[in-house]
Amino acid sequence: MKLELSRVVQGRGRLGVLKELGKTGQHSLEVPGCLLHTHLGAVPHLTRDTLHTLSNLPSVTQVTLSNIAEHQEVLEEFKDGFRRFAGLHNTVLYCSLHDPATPCPTGYNTTKTVSVWGSGGRIELTVAKFMALQKTVQPDWYQSMADGETWQSGTSRKRVRKSVDRTLAHLDECLLVHQNSQELEGVEVFGVVEGGDILEERVRSGRETAKRPVAGFCLDGLQTGSMDQALRTQLITAVTKELPEDKPRLLQGVGRPDEVLACVEAGVDLFESFFPFQATERGCALCFGFDVSSDPELAGRAPPAVVELAEEKTASGETRQNGDSNPADQSRMTSFEIDLKDKRHRDDFRPLVEGCGCYCCVNHQRAYLHHLLVTNELLAGVLLMIHNTAHYHAFFRALREALANDKLDVLKRRVLGEGGGQTERNE
Amino acid sequence: MAAITERGADVNTLENSMSLKKTLSAASPLALRVVAECSVTKARACDLILPHCAVSTPVFMPVGTQGTLKGITVDQLEGLGCQICLGNTYHLGMRPGPDLIEKANGLHGFMNWKRNLLTDSGGFQMVSLVELSEVTEEGVKFKSPYDGEEILLSPEKSISIQNSLGSDIMMQLDDVVSSTVTGPRVEEAMHRSIRWLDRCIAANKNPDKQNLFAIIQGGLNAELRKVCLEEMTQRDVPGFAIGGLSGGEEKDDFWRMVTLSTDHLPREKPRYLMGVGYAVDLVVCVALGCDMFDCVFPTRTARFGSALVPWGSLQVKQKQYAKDFQPIDPECQCPTCRQHSRAYLHALFKSDTAAMHHITIHNIAYQLTLMCSVRQSIVDGCFPEFIRTFMKRMFPSRDQYPGWAVDALASVNVPLE
């Protein structure tokens, strides 16, 4: 893979294209961008027909060992790699360790092993097993095995240091096997930067990982809920100083629009697109605005993707805002979405988002989605996933455009909400 | 979207149905044209012209209980060739309620389904779902499972809800009695159903847009059935359903009531056998003269990983399929079979709901394709051969053929070797 940057502004992010992806080198992915998050190759709830109502999807599909590991025997017998097994065509396959949408129990990693959680329970991976899996999955690119159990608050310095040391050791072992495996010829490896919330450890991890012959870097242990954005920005900024400019940086476990914007400014290129799925599971529709029209007349008006007042009150009356204090509590609604189970949508015959061209918004109304959610119907997940995916990827397009046209500040105001009255209040 | 070509609409039929459609709006909202009749059995192939589009019969109607077909979009359903599906008056009457649906331009508007809809009356749910408070001449009194409120479902109320739903075919409210019940209750229910039919007819606000079907009752009692048939066929309704069967009764009694009913139903009106959907039952009951069928089974069983195939069913979640790299049915043309293997679906069931949707699509495709093949064989004059081939495929050997099916088919001149 080759990262071609067209713009780099310190503290404002990078814009470019990741080219020559895939074994045939014919794919590319614009950055900042996100991968297509899947469960075993399927975008959650969607079959190929429903998936293909979406256009401009990322060219890189993400699968995770937490879904795949338990099927190792099957894949070994199949022999032709995961892509064929799942009926995926014409996509670049990226294999990560964990599913960013589902944090798993911690405390099981050892010096030589890392655990993932499949449908049947915990699966322990040594580097040998990890690499055997990669050989049978045959991705185009994968992250090296890593110990990232530092996201819980109160992780000791000692534990953080261990995660850095172990991850480097795993990386070295992985690379050794990789270099000696014919099956992995042409496959790229990303090193994983750890370090918890400790600046020195982050810098050390970044510096050391950069010494290895990797194609890019995953930034781990920074997921939503593990720390506030100010610290995350600080750590990412420090880490990226240690990393080569011409290799991509993939931030794991961060998907909220506000965090994405801040992390792009700190130097991140790639994200995992699990946030739409989480919103879907909450019965919520993404609705935050990101239109940054270059037409001065329109710039003052509320954007077509209207920012709804999404300050839903919790039972205790507190306003739910941006804070998720616990990554395990991914079910908490954010201010970027509307809760379609809310009674106010019962007889609302508007689409989820006016002007959104997705299949759901073109064909269905809020009232119908509300009904589907209230009656626990499977179609709710399908339709919401379509809309949320479309909305999220359109946000990334808008982000790239904003960077290209120096409109990042305008975009930030749109997405994060200005102080006063541009939001559409309780309709 | 990958679409299976429309089933059963060959050019001739299309042309004729177009001209029929023109006369349709002038006269009644239903027209039935018998395209072919089997010279051996009582089977027919028809074009059923309804307000939203023509339906080729025999037809299997998937059930979309709450205004949705369990995880499948309307586009996908259309792509599979479905021309008519069901909604449930009881469920939709409870949530979201007729007023909201009316505001949404009827059930068609609410779920954005452009083809035909059939709604049942809510009667069956009285028996199957709800703790019955009381059945009186007035209607069925029951307690809402959502707020405990007492509700009366009368013929008038049922039709009013169905008028709001705007379905192309509405079912009368019938006094439903389980097919395993015997004695005077059955007779009472049969007579009441006739009186309720008359009340339903009177209550229908949209006779020019919505077709009201009668439902023949009488349990497993031939005499009662005959009385019901005699009476109900005197009413000017556009179609008849055969009800009160497909409960827990013996199949030997079941088929006899079906064939008795079709013997006494008019040729030029559609015969809808309610609650039947197993492949063998469909094929046999087509031979006995039925045109329309509905059943939750294919879509419900899909969600448990059970895929319907010409030789029975395949439990995708079972270990034996973990390494089976063929599609569910190598000869099936549905999107699922064209893209995925049993092994992948087996694995996917552990990770995502999409697995259920894949099987649901396959099962609907299976049912619709089966009906299409049945229809074609009737049109081609080789339905009896079709039946024999079908049975051979479905059962490993002759002595595994269900006795009732053998008897039923023999009764319409198709002996099975």
Side-chain angles (χ1 to χ4, degrees):
Chain A
M1 61 176 75
K2 213 171 114 183
L3 180 61
E4 249 177 47
L5 295 169
S6 56
R7 293 189 75 145
V8 179
V9 184
Q10 194 53 40
R12 305 256 70 198
R14 303 146 36 105
L15 179 70
V17 187
L18 193 55
K19 288 182 160 168
E20 290 168 35
L21 291 171
K23 300 233 183 65
T24 51
Q26 83 220 81
H27 290 282
S28 61
L29 184 65
E30 289 180 11
V31 297
C34 58
L35 315 177
L36 189 64
H37 171 252
T38 69
H39 288 154
L40 212 67
V43 173
H45 303 301
L46 305 186
T47 63
R48 178 146 352 137
D49 289 336
T50 41
L51 180 66
H52 285 190
T53 61
L54 294 160
S55 48
N56 298 323
L57 286 173
S59 57
V60 181
T61 298
Q62 175 182 5
V63 293
T64 69
L65 288 183
S66 54
N67 283 156
I68 291 181
E70 67 199 85
H71 305 294
Q72 183 173 5
E73 229 184 85
V74 177
L75 285 168
E76 274 165 3
E77 184 151 330
F78 183 71
K79 292 195 183 67
D80 270 337
F82 182 81
R83 197 201 319 265
R84 276 230 175 77
F85 178 67
L88 293 170
H89 303 296
N90 208 29
T91 185
V92 178
L93 195 65
Y94 165 70
C95 186
S96 71
L97 187 57
H98 296 293
D99 182 347
T102 321
C104 54
T106 54
Y108 292 88
N109 289 354
T110 69
T111 311
K112 290 288 181 188
T113 70
V114 148
S115 287
V116 293
W117 295 76
S119 70
R122 187 169 75 90
I123 300 173
E124 200 169 70
L125 303 175
T126 55
V127 169
K129 191 169 162 84
F130 178 90
M131 291 307 290
L133 274 165
Q134 299 300 347
K135 284 192 233 186
T136 192
V137 168
Q138 293 167 32
D140 294 297
W141 121 55
Y142 64 94
Q143 65 154 103
S144 149
M145 193 166 107
D147 171 16
E149 285 180 358
T150 57
W151 48 265
Q152 277 173 334
S153 60
T155 307
S156 73
R157 195 179 189 96
K158 185 169 161 192
R159 182 64 183 88
V160 172
R161 205 180 310 130
K162 261 199 225 172
S163 81
V164 175
D165 294 335
R166 287 175 182 175
T167 300
L168 285 166
H170 295 328
L171 173 59
D172 288 336
E173 271 192 70
C174 283
L175 286 172
L176 198 55
V177 177
H178 185 107
Q179 279 145 14
N180 291 322
S181 302
Q182 212 190 19
E183 302 96 315
L184 294 175
E185 212 177 294
V187 177
E188 315 261 29
V189 188
F190 269 33
V192 184
V193 177
E194 300 288 349
D197 57 0
I198 301 171
L199 185 64
E200 304 86 73
E201 288 300 310
R202 281 282 167 190
V203 169
R204 179 168 79 93
S205 180
R207 190 175 294 153
E208 286 302 313
T209 310
K211 291 181 185 163
R212 275 70 172 171
V214 292
F217 303 90
C218 290
L219 307 179
D220 192 14
L222 296 157
Q223 46 266 60
T224 298
S226 64
M227 60 184 69
D228 64 34
Q229 185 57 43
L231 180 57
R232 187 180 291 119
T233 295
Q234 185 195 14
L235 295 173
I236 293 176
T237 306
V239 167
T240 53
K241 283 207 180 78
E242 308 297 325
L243 305 178
E245 282 245 323
D246 62 348
K247 290 184 180 173
R249 301 98 177 240
L250 166 60
L251 178 58
Q252 297 179 316
V254 170
R256 259 176 35 197
D258 52 341
E259 295 177 338
V260 166
L261 288 172
C263 293
V264 164
E265 287 186 295
V268 173
D269 305 312
L270 296 170
F271 298 81
E272 301 169 308
S273 64
F274 59 97
F275 184 68
F277 169 63
Q278 291 177 322
T280 299
E281 296 307 281
R282 298 190 269 266
C284 293
L286 299 183
C287 63
F288 61 97
F290 48 75
D291 178 47
V292 185
S293 183
S294 48
D295 181 337
E297 254 198 3
L298 289 175
R301 265 203 258 138
V306 174
V307 178
E308 305 260 334
L309 176 63
E311 283 175 11
E312 302 277 332
K313 303 250 181 237
T314 60
S316 62
E318 295 162 26
T319 338
R320 284 193 249 179
Q321 289 287 4
N322 298 328
D324 276 345
S325 60
N326 176 4
D329 186 12
Q330 300 288 337
S331 59
R332 285 238 249 129
M333 214 180 96
T334 67
S335 52
F336 305 102
E337 53 205 77
I338 46 173
D339 179 4
L340 287 165
K341 291 183 298 310
D342 192 298
K343 277 203 191 71
R344 80 177 82 165
H345 302 299
R346 191 182 174 273
D347 51 3
D348 189 340
F349 295 111
R350 296 176 297 167
L352 295 180
V353 171
E354 301 274 8
C356 172
C358 83
Y359 175 84
C360 178
C361 289
V362 166
N363 290 287
H364 295 291
Q365 304 146 332
R366 294 181 186 196
Y368 185 58
L369 265 303
H370 174 84
H371 167 70
L372 294 176
L373 286 163
V374 163
T375 55
N376 268 315
E377 282 288 341
L378 290 167
L379 189 62
V382 176
L383 295 177
L384 281 177
M385 197 64 212
I386 290 174
H387 169 76
N388 289 342
T389 302
H391 197 89
Y392 197 66
H393 292 293
F395 160 63
F396 270 88
R397 266 199 302 285
L399 171 53
R400 291 190 288 273
E401 251 175 61
L403 281 169
N405 300 320
D406 262 317
K407 289 249 169 86
L408 190 58
D409 284 327
V410 186
L411 179 67
K412 278 167 71 175
R413 280 201 298 277
R414 247 333 149 251
V415 172
L416 305 177
E418 314 187 69
Q422 97 300 352
T423 56
E424 187 182 290
R425 304 263 149 175
N426 295 0
E427 60 282 29
Chain B
M1 182 171 321
I4 296 179
T5 43
E6 290 279 339
R7 305 274 176 203
D10 61 274
V11 177
N12 246 354
T13 328
L14 203 56
E15 277 173 4
N16 288 330
S17 72
M18 295 289 266
S19 65
L20 268 170
K21 240 188 176 147
K22 289 194 193 122
T23 51
L24 185 61
S25 41
S28 104
L30 182 151
L32 186 79
R33 192 175 81 111
V34 179
V35 172
E37 281 172 293
C38 177
S39 55
V40 177
T41 69
K42 298 200 288 178
R44 316 102 67 74
C46 308
D47 290 340
L48 174 61
I49 317 299
L50 291 168
H52 280 82
C53 72
V55 176
S56 308
T57 77
V59 64
F60 174 77
M61 305 180 284
V63 180
T65 308
Q66 305 199 89
T68 159
L69 223 112
K70 298 289 183 246
I72 306 304
T73 65
V74 290
D75 271 22
Q76 286 176 302
L77 195 55
E78 215 178 280
L80 288 169
C82 177
Q83 297 159 330
I84 178 170
C85 66
L86 262 69
N88 279 70
T89 296
Y90 169 76
H91 293 82
L92 293 167
M94 292 278 107
R95 302 184 297 189
D99 296 335
L100 185 77
I101 295 189
E102 211 176 304
K103 262 195 233 164
N105 280 325
L107 187 54
H108 286 91
F110 190 55
M111 56 184 287
N112 200 19
W113 172 244
K114 298 182 172 69
R115 295 181 176 179
N116 297 303
L117 282 168
L118 184 152
T119 48
D120 72 344
S121 60
F124 180 70
Q125 278 73 40
M126 299 300 105
V127 171
S128 63
L129 290 181
V130 190
E131 215 182 279
L132 259 167
S133 293
E134 216 184 329
V135 182
T136 64
E137 191 59 26
E138 224 193 336
V140 183
K141 245 191 273 182
F142 65 99
K143 275 203 177 73
S144 160
Y146 308 112
D147 56 14
E149 220 186 278
E150 237 198 27
I151 307 188
L152 173 72
L153 187 68
S154 63
E156 289 75 18
K157 183 89 173 101
S158 173
I159 296 304
S160 165
I161 297 174
Q162 292 185 75
N163 280 151
S164 295
L165 297 178
S167 46
D168 303 277
I169 298 176
M170 310 187 292
M171 305 307 296
Q172 69 156 112
L173 182 67
D174 49 348
D175 185 358
V176 180
V177 157
S178 165
S179 50
T180 51
V181 168
T182 53
R185 177 74 182 100
V186 182
E187 178 161 8
E188 180 196 48
M190 183 273 286
H191 283 292
R192 181 170 291 137
S193 296
I194 299 171
R195 293 192 294 275
W196 282 4
L197 171 60
D198 289 338
R199 284 167 61 183
C200 286
I201 293 171
N204 183 7
K205 287 198 302 267
N206 303 324
D208 56 338
K209 281 204 250 150
Q210 295 182 269
N211 296 288
L212 175 61
F213 276 27
I215 306 180
I216 309 294
Q217 294 291 348
L220 303 175
N221 183 316
E223 292 316 309
L224 292 179
R225 283 258 162 201
K226 276 197 222 149
V227 170
C228 199
L229 284 155
E230 173 82 23
E231 282 295 327
M232 286 192 172
T233 49
Q234 286 176 32
R235 274 72 175 168
D236 182 23
V237 286
F240 296 91
I242 302 167
L245 298 174
S246 198
E249 74 278 357
E250 287 295 329
K251 276 304 218 297
D252 285 320
D253 299 321
F254 159 78
W255 77 263
R256 287 187 166 86
M257 290 299 104
V258 172
T259 206
L260 169 70
S261 303
T262 56
D263 279 341
H264 293 88
L265 286 171
R267 175 186 176 272
E268 335 69 48
K269 292 185 178 177
R271 298 94 171 254
Y272 166 27
L273 182 55
M274 307 183 79
V276 168
Y278 285 40
V280 177
D281 300 4
L282 291 173
V283 172
V284 172
C285 291
V286 168
L288 298 183
C290 299
D291 308 307
M292 303 163 66
F293 306 86
D294 81 284
C295 192
V296 293
F297 170 71
T299 39
R300 178 175 293 165
T301 206
R303 299 196 291 286
F304 294 100
S306 181
L308 302 177
V309 288
W311 60 95
S313 70
L314 202 145
Q315 312 307 318
V316 163
K317 288 165 86 168
Q318 280 177 355
K319 258 207 176 92
Q320 62 187 119
Y321 298 110
K323 296 181 185 171
D324 190 336
F325 303 119
Q326 306 176 75
I328 292 169
D329 177 5
E331 287 174 32
C332 178
Q333 296 299 310
C334 83
T336 303
C337 290
R338 277 185 290 147
Q339 292 158 29
H340 297 299
S341 65
R342 298 168 186 185
Y344 177 67
L345 293 167
H346 174 93
L348 190 61
F349 260 102
K350 304 193 183 186
S351 296
D352 199 81
T353 67
M356 289 193 284
H357 305 328
H358 283 301
I359 311 288
T360 300
I361 287 171
H362 167 81
N363 283 2
I364 294 174
Y366 171 77
Q367 297 285 112
L368 298 183
T369 303
L370 175 64
M371 287 289 101
C372 186
S373 310
V374 164
R375 175 190 164 90
Q376 196 56 49
S377 73
I378 297 169
V379 167
D380 292 343
C382 54
F383 184 45
E385 284 96 288
F386 176 90
I387 298 174
R388 292 193 179 97
T389 310
F390 168 83
M391 294 294 280
K392 272 208 198 100
R393 192 86 211 277
M394 185 62 73
F395 300 100
S397 61
R398 171 65 177 82
D399 42 82
Q400 299 211 336
Y401 288 8
W404 73 270
V406 175
D407 294 341
L409 290 168
S411 81
V412 287
N413 311 307
V414 182
L416 294 173
E417 296 319 312

